[in-house]
Amino acid sequence: MDDVDAVTRAVLTASRLLVALSARSLAAVEDRVTLPQFRLLVVLSLEGPAKLVALADRLGVNPSTAMRMMDRLIAAGLADRQVNPDNRRETVLRLTREGRRIVEDVTAQRRMEIGAIVERLDPVQRAALVDALAAFTEAGGEPTVPDQDGELYPLGWSDLDPRAGH
């Protein structure tokens, strides 16, 4: 069990660094959006226009909570409502250009800070880190983040619960 404890301590230490990087990347927009609201922007960025119930489900919140978050984002000009062109009785929620820009800016800031840290490692350490983190995220059921042009989980989280068998 000693190796499990040592790895657990190392991952906890690394997670503190990653949380700090995430917080710094969000600092530039904290006057405009809360972390839960930003998370909603990320979901809309990744999945495109969605109905309120689907957003609430994806975020793991009640529809009334998702509606309050959306109302604030709409008031801030970061999201809007549209009639669903496939079903005129439905409303879908989507990002505005400004909402998309915020997601892209925060993601770029986080990528830049992580890249600066990774550059300090020698190539052997980088390769070992890629292998170790890939194994760790696979064991946890987290999808991988694609290359720089990809958009899957740009902030490095998934709402899929690996214990639920997703």
Side-chain angles (χ1 to χ4, degrees), residues 3-4 9 12 16 22 30 57 59 71 73 90 105 117-118 126 136-137 142 144 146 153 158 161:
D3 65 331
V4 170
R9 279 192 310 277
L12 285 171
R16 282 197 319 260
S22 294
E30 70 185 350
D57 185 54
L59 295 169
D71 287 344
L73 292 170
E90 292 180 344
D105 289 352
I117 293 168
V118 170
R126 289 180 199 164
F136 181 77
T137 56
E142 184 74 13
T144 58
Y153 303 109
S158 165
D161 184 346

Side-chain angles (χ1 to χ4, degrees), residues 29-45:
V29 297
E30 70 185 350
D31 61 327
R32 297 191 68 189
V33 295
T34 65
L35 178 58
Q37 290 168 347
F38 183 76
R39 220 172 138 223
L40 194 151
L41 291 175
V42 170
V43 169
L44 285 174
S45 173

Side-chain angles (χ1 to χ4, degrees), residues 83-84 86-91:
V83 172
N84 183 348
D86 297 328
N87 181 347
R88 309 281 300 157
R89 294 178 295 161
E90 292 180 344
T91 300

Side-chain angles (χ1 to χ4, degrees), residues 7-30:
V7 171
T8 300
R9 279 192 310 277
V11 170
L12 285 171
T13 302
S15 72
R16 282 197 319 260
L17 172 62
L18 292 171
V19 167
L21 291 172
S22 294
R24 281 197 301 267
S25 69
L26 288 167
V29 297
E30 70 185 350

Side-chain angles (χ1 to χ4, degrees), residues 3-4 14 21 23 40 53 66 69 83 93 98 108 113-114 121 128 131 136 143 150 160:
D3 65 331
V4 170
L21 291 172
L40 194 151
V53 174
M69 289 175 15
V83 172
L93 306 162
E98 180 66 8
E113 287 199 48
I114 291 171
L121 301 173
D131 291 343
F136 181 77
L160 299 178

